[in-house]
Amino acid sequence: MIMGYEQILYEIKDGVAVITLNRPEVLNAFTPQMGREIVDALENSNKNDEVGAIVVTGAGRGFCSGADLRWFGQITEELQRAKDPAAVWRKRREEERLWAHKFIKLPLESKPIIGAINGPAVGVGLTMTLPWDIRLASENARFSMAFVRLGLVPEAGSTFFLSRLVGFSKACELVYSARFFDAKEALEIGLVSRVLPPEKLMPTALEMARDFGERPPMALRLAKELMVKGAFFHGLEEATTLEDVYFLLCQASPEHREAVLAFLEKRKPDFKKFRETSK
């Protein structure tokens, strides 16, 4: 176990970085400190050559119940007391801007991230997972875009990601109603890729992450970049042009040569030696 965090746990198991949201007494309710710690753990994972992929889950029976409403209460009270609420809000947003920007953008640029959603994922507990590569859900998971119910609007880039994942009409329904929906519906609309019994959730996530970590690191990194840009940013022409460039780049790489030689020599390829040079 790697120490130094207060609201998450962080450890590396067999080449997989595991980040566990760790405020189980409040169903891992989110705070800015938790956000900063998640960002730091992701950055540490990306710098660590031992890590091939990342799994994020929650301690106890919840994944993340949303923002800690006591934190919201403190903000409201501070704004009500302030002579210039707008100035107070701008100062607070400026203090949070750097880590909040990374919180949204870093997952798009990181090693593969698998969300092992073990229980309620509400508000930011859901939106934080949308930029991740894969979401696996326990049968106990429940979801809600709860913002409108609290007199708020969606955040963390979720209006960008959600409609691309589940379609515009379904995204509008989930946002406007702020209703809860279960893991079965999350699978049906494409929000998660698998629903698993609770006892199989983490073993499946870890096995998947280990499998990703055994792939050629440069090819995996470039494949992720292509998937992210193709899904969220590029049109068809841009996507195919970048695919051609990256395909040729990978074809000339020692990783590809190792894969071909291993196939011809009927042995398992060894890609770990390429991790450091693939950055």
Side-chain angles (χ1 to χ4, degrees), residues 106-273:
L106 187 61
L108 299 175
E109 302 162 355
S110 77
K111 295 171 182 177
I113 302 177
I114 301 167
I117 303 172
N118 55 304
V122 180
V124 68
L126 172 53
T127 63
M128 76 165 75
T129 73
L130 300 182
W132 299 352
D133 301 271
I134 296 167
R135 286 161 296 282
L136 308 178
S138 160
E139 292 169 347
N140 295 334
R142 298 178 72 225
F143 305 85
S144 174
M145 291 289 290
F147 302 97
V148 172
R149 193 182 329 127
L150 295 173
L152 298 170
V153 296
E155 42 64 86
S158 57
T159 57
F160 175 84
F161 292 110
L162 186 63
S163 61
R164 286 163 173 79
L165 293 171
V166 305
F168 179 74
S169 180
K170 177 58 70 173
C172 288
E173 178 202 328
L174 298 178
V175 169
Y176 301 164
S177 69
R179 67 179 175 85
F180 278 86
F181 56 100
D182 61 17
K184 180 181 177 182
E185 182 174 353
L187 180 63
E188 290 172 350
I189 65 177
L191 183 65
V192 303
S193 59
R194 297 191 201 178
V195 175
L196 298 152
E199 69 275 10
K200 293 186 177 180
L201 179 66
M202 278 303 289
T204 301
L206 291 171
E207 181 182 1
M208 184 180 289
R210 284 192 294 267
D211 181 62
F212 292 166
E214 292 178 357
R215 300 292 168 250
M218 184 178 77
L220 185 65
R221 175 174 58 82
L222 295 180
K224 169 163 181 172
E225 184 179 334
L226 288 171
M227 292 300 294
V228 168
K229 290 182 176 178
F232 300 122
F233 303 106
H234 281 174
L236 178 59
E237 188 65 30
E238 293 171 301
T240 53
T241 298
L242 194 61
E243 285 172 357
D244 290 343
V245 172
Y246 284 2
F247 190 93
L248 291 173
L249 181 64
C250 288
Q251 201 168 31
S253 71
E255 292 181 0
H256 176 64
R257 183 173 183 273
E258 167 66 10
V260 172
L261 286 175
F263 175 80
L264 295 174
E265 296 170 1
K266 296 181 172 57
R267 60 176 174 83
K268 185 176 180 179
D270 178 14
F271 297 119
K272 289 183 180 179
K273 58 187 175 184

Side-chain angles (χ1 to χ4, degrees), residues 18-19 22-23 43 51 58 65 68 88 95-96 102 108 128 134 139 153 157 180 186 205 231 239 250 268 273:
V18 180
I19 300 171
N22 190 38
R23 303 183 72 216
E43 289 180 328
V51 173
S65 58
D68 193 323
V88 171
E95 291 171 349
E96 296 178 358
K102 287 184 177 181
L108 299 175
M128 76 165 75
I134 296 167
E139 292 169 347
V153 296
F180 278 86
C250 288
K268 185 176 180 179
K273 58 187 175 184

